[in-house]
Amino acid sequence: MTARTHMPVGHEARQVKGWVGAHRFLLLRRFSQLFFLALFLLGPWFGIWIVKGTLAGSLTLGVLPLTDPFILLQGLMAGHWPEMTALVGGLIVLVAYALIGGRVYCSWVCPINPVTDAAHWLHRRLDLPKGWQPKRSTRLWILATVLIVSALTGVIAWELVNPITMLHRGLVFGMGFVWAMVVAIFVFDLFVARHGWCGHICPVGAFYGLIGAKSLLRVSATNRVACDDCMDCYAVCPENQVISPALKGKPGSSPLILSPDCTTCGRCIDVCSVDVFKLTHRFDDAVVAPPDPAAAPQARAARPV
Amino acid sequence: MSLVGKPLSPQRRRFLQDSARAAGGCLVAGSLLAYLARDARALPAEALRPPGALPEDDFLGACIRCGLCVRDCPYDTLKLAELGVDAVATGTPYFIARDVPCEMCEDIPCVAACPTGALDKGLQDIDDAKMGVAVLVDQENCLNFLGLRCDVCYRVCPVIDEAITLELSHNDRSGHHAIFAPTVHADHCTGCGVCEKSCVLPEAAIKVLPTRLARGSSAEHYRKGWEEKAEKGGPLVEGIIDLPDRLPGPGADNLAAPGGYEPGYNLPGAGQ
């Protein structure tokens, strides 16, 4: 098994499903990220004004307002009651992500995601140690700190440093020195802390995780009986603490990945050569039964019921 | 003391340690963030906020930096501050009057575009905008103050003859000309910056400054007697006896003794 864990991640999946099959969700995500960025760029670049504004707040086709609820919350903490347009926009975003999964924003929309993904790709390529790993709850502490600082200073505090909106605004309006911040995050994730920014620090992700805690769209280890312990899903998952309860849960436990930390990036589905995971909804806790009771019990034998 | 004999829970100890560590880290990070927040309030004097912008302290709690005001500005006056380039809180809208002034659109599209009210919808008439106040900062270089008839700031002012007037005075240098001094009346000035943009000098002699820099303020209790008197339509204190003014002393054109009184040593008989 040691030899297998040292094979490149997703190697088997590539052999079984082909390159495209083993990168389906990654390709879809990159497309989605580009799509949302393109919506914002069509205006300033080509004069096609479908969406105006930035991820912090936008207006689509002149009618649909969208506002980042986390920025709105900081504004409320800072003592400003916003106008109805922003409130409605914030509510729409809140409800949408509460339904599809808060951190879907992280892996399907956020422009920092390709940066940290690239850092992680290189990190694995160079076989670097995982480095500083503060608790996953650190981001919740930072989230609370940001809200407190907003309340104390009367300023929307995280927007002074938020690399997500800065990079997005940089691309849509003008970069300034935002590139330096992007490089800093890349280096931080590459050398200082594996999955450091998105997995431990970013309070925006923490906030979206909280609002999507009960979301409908979920990944499920439906076919967990087929798992051959290759560990590729753990290696590729940016929040791999979410996998075990679903994949290695006792028989009878839910195969659904219910942790709000899961970004529904779908990479576990991609890299699994035996198709353990699938994208489904949170009420679908069906598990594939072992096809032949005699063939499966290996896993059960280790944990007698 | 009461702890003696009770086994201390390692989980509890661990929990307290972790919490203390996280709280400590957050205190440091939060302090840095608060420092940045305080720093962000220092708006440079040449950077002007769009019409209707809340006072700077409130503005930074209300503006979500979406850029919709910038998009709807038809003259490309507004821009979003870029990180590390402009000394304005990053991502917030502003303009530099000398680059592109505000053209004072009647429908105020920037205010209409603002989703949060950081640009106050209460501003209905652009003439009521207070983006700053124009100040003729350099009388020594202003051509009008030198006795020439430049008048450009006065002529381009969208609120001509109210926000800027030309005040006449005698030109002592030539002895027989007038000086037409451009004079700003802050009550009517919107701070649009068209005067600053149009000043013909290489460095504008008239500049729009934030109100906090441009204006003084009179004390709360201060009353202007002549205004009070005009409002009342009569003397403020009734029944004051108007004594005759003291007249010049010996000789009506006695400039040596303006009060009319000779110093004692000049009086007849003194010092002799």
Side-chain angles (χ1 to χ4, degrees):
Chain A
M1 200 187 107
T2 320
R4 281 180 60 204
T5 50
H6 278 91
M7 284 194 327
V9 176
H11 182 73
E12 283 175 295
R14 272 200 297 283
Q15 284 181 333
V16 176
K17 305 195 266 190
W19 193 90
V20 173
H23 293 85
R24 203 159 53 96
F25 276 93
L26 185 64
L27 292 172
L28 280 172
R29 281 199 303 119
R30 293 290 176 258
F31 175 78
S32 160
Q33 288 159 350
L34 278 175
F35 172 76
F36 284 109
L37 187 58
L39 279 182
F40 285 95
L41 285 174
L42 279 177
W45 285 9
F46 305 108
I48 305 167
W49 293 103
I50 299 170
V51 180
K52 273 186 199 171
T54 64
L55 284 177
S58 63
L59 188 65
T60 303
L61 296 171
V63 286
L64 174 69
L66 295 175
T67 319
D68 185 317
F70 180 47
I71 297 177
L72 217 52
L73 179 61
Q74 291 172 70
L76 285 171
M77 295 295 287
H80 177 77
W81 184 257
E83 280 181 12
M84 204 39 90
T85 316
L87 286 176
V88 169
L91 198 66
I92 294 173
V93 174
L94 203 68
V95 170
Y97 282 111
L99 288 177
I100 64 167
R103 296 208 62 197
V104 167
Y105 175 77
C106 298
S107 49
W108 294 78
V109 180
C110 176
I112 288 293
N113 175 273
V115 176
T116 54
D117 270 3
H120 184 240
W121 177 83
L122 191 59
H123 183 94
R124 291 209 72 88
R125 260 324 197 34
L126 301 176
D127 207 14
L128 295 170
K130 62 182 172 182
W132 183 55
Q133 296 288 292
K135 283 179 173 294
R136 294 280 178 176
S137 60
T138 304
R139 51 190 159 190
L140 291 171
W141 282 87
I142 295 177
L143 173 62
T145 305
V146 164
L147 294 178
I148 291 169
V149 172
S150 293
L152 292 179
T153 58
V155 172
I156 297 178
W158 192 245
E159 284 312 287
L160 300 170
V161 287
N162 186 359
I164 302 170
T165 47
M166 278 190 191
L167 176 57
H168 191 258
R169 201 187 303 118
L171 292 166
V172 178
F173 279 94
M175 205 51 151
F177 280 87
V178 173
W179 59 267
M181 192 164 217
V182 173
V183 169
I185 286 180
F186 182 85
V187 170
F188 178 75
D189 265 29
L190 180 60
F191 294 118
V192 182
R194 178 188 296 170
H195 293 307
W197 186 263
C198 303
H200 298 90
I201 307 286
C202 180
V204 181
F207 177 82
Y208 276 87
L210 288 179
I211 65 176
K214 298 288 171 203
S215 67
L216 297 178
L217 194 66
R218 288 283 138 189
V219 173
S220 174
T222 311
N223 195 17
R224 62 187 173 190
V225 289
C227 174
D228 58 3
D229 295 331
C230 73
M231 302 298 281
D232 278 2
C233 54
Y234 286 94
V236 86
C237 178
E239 303 275 351
N240 54 24
Q241 75 279 12
V242 309
I243 297 177
S244 292
L247 183 63
K248 299 293 170 192
K250 290 195 180 78
S253 66
S254 170
L256 288 160
I257 294 177
L258 289 172
S259 166
D261 292 344
C262 172
T263 69
T264 321
C265 69
R267 284 296 280 150
C268 53
I269 308 176
D270 277 350
V271 298
C272 184
S273 60
V274 290
D275 288 331
V276 165
F277 299 98
K278 74 166 187 179
L279 199 58
T280 181
H281 57 84
R282 78 181 291 123
F283 304 109
D284 171 24
D285 54 2
V287 190
V288 172
D292 176 0
Q298 253 185 331
R300 292 182 176 215
R303 302 187 198 83
V305 187
Chain B
M1 311 329 119
S2 61
L3 294 178
V4 177
K6 273 188 195 169
L8 281 171
S9 147
Q11 285 88 356
R12 181 168 164 272
R13 186 182 184 81
R14 178 101 197 238
F15 171 77
L16 288 175
Q17 274 179 345
D18 284 347
S19 302
R21 182 178 295 148
C26 285
L27 201 62
V28 173
S31 306
L32 287 173
L33 199 57
Y35 176 78
L36 277 179
R38 201 201 56 169
D39 219 31
R41 293 210 197 100
L43 190 67
E46 68 274 20
L48 302 172
R49 291 294 187 198
L54 299 176
E56 191 61 13
D57 279 3
D58 301 333
F59 186 77
L60 291 176
C63 173
I64 59 170
R65 297 120 153 107
C66 64
L68 287 172
C69 53
V70 175
R71 287 291 179 237
D72 281 8
C73 174
Y75 297 96
D76 287 340
T77 300
L78 296 177
K79 47 189 177 176
L80 291 187
E82 291 181 16
L83 184 71
V85 178
D86 310 299
V88 180
T90 180
T92 56
Y94 76 103
F95 70 100
I96 304 275
R98 187 70 164 167
D99 296 342
V100 190
C102 172
E103 295 289 345
M104 289 175 59
C105 313
E106 280 190 12
D107 50 348
I108 330 181
C110 48
V111 173
C114 180
T116 65
L119 306 182
D120 190 358
K121 298 261 193 312
L123 180 71
Q124 297 285 332
D125 183 352
I126 189 65
D127 286 345
D128 295 334
K130 286 274 168 274
M131 296 170 267
V133 176
V135 181
L136 202 140
V137 288
D138 190 358
Q139 299 187 359
E140 289 172 281
N141 280 309
C142 171
L143 297 180
N144 268 39
F145 267 88
L146 294 175
L148 307 171
R149 291 301 303 274
C150 163
D151 295 2
V152 167
C153 56
Y154 162 76
R155 300 221 170 266
V156 296
C157 177
V159 203
I160 185 170
D161 280 328
E162 289 180 73
I164 303 183
T165 56
L166 294 177
E167 303 293 326
L168 267 66
S169 60
H170 177 65
N171 184 345
D172 284 337
R173 181 182 55 78
S174 72
H176 53 274
H177 295 97
I179 284 174
F180 291 73
T183 306
V184 177
H185 304 275
D187 284 349
H188 295 102
C189 176
T190 63
C192 71
V194 171
C195 53
E196 180 179 342
K197 170 69 182 169
S198 311
C199 179
V200 300
L201 299 181
E203 178 74 39
I206 188 166
K207 286 179 176 160
V208 176
L209 300 178
T211 308
R212 72 189 153 87
L213 293 182
R215 301 219 65 192
S217 66
S218 63
E220 283 271 322
H221 63 274
Y222 195 86
R223 300 281 178 274
K224 290 168 184 149
W226 57 95
E227 283 178 1
E228 302 276 319
K229 203 170 166 183
E231 197 176 320
K232 195 179 173 204
L236 294 173
V237 183
E238 301 290 349
I240 285 187
I241 309 159
D242 191 14
L243 293 172
D245 294 329
R246 188 172 276 161
L247 294 170
D253 56 349
N254 186 356
L255 294 176
Y261 292 92
E262 288 280 314
Y265 53 82
N266 275 348
L267 287 175
Q272 287 184 349

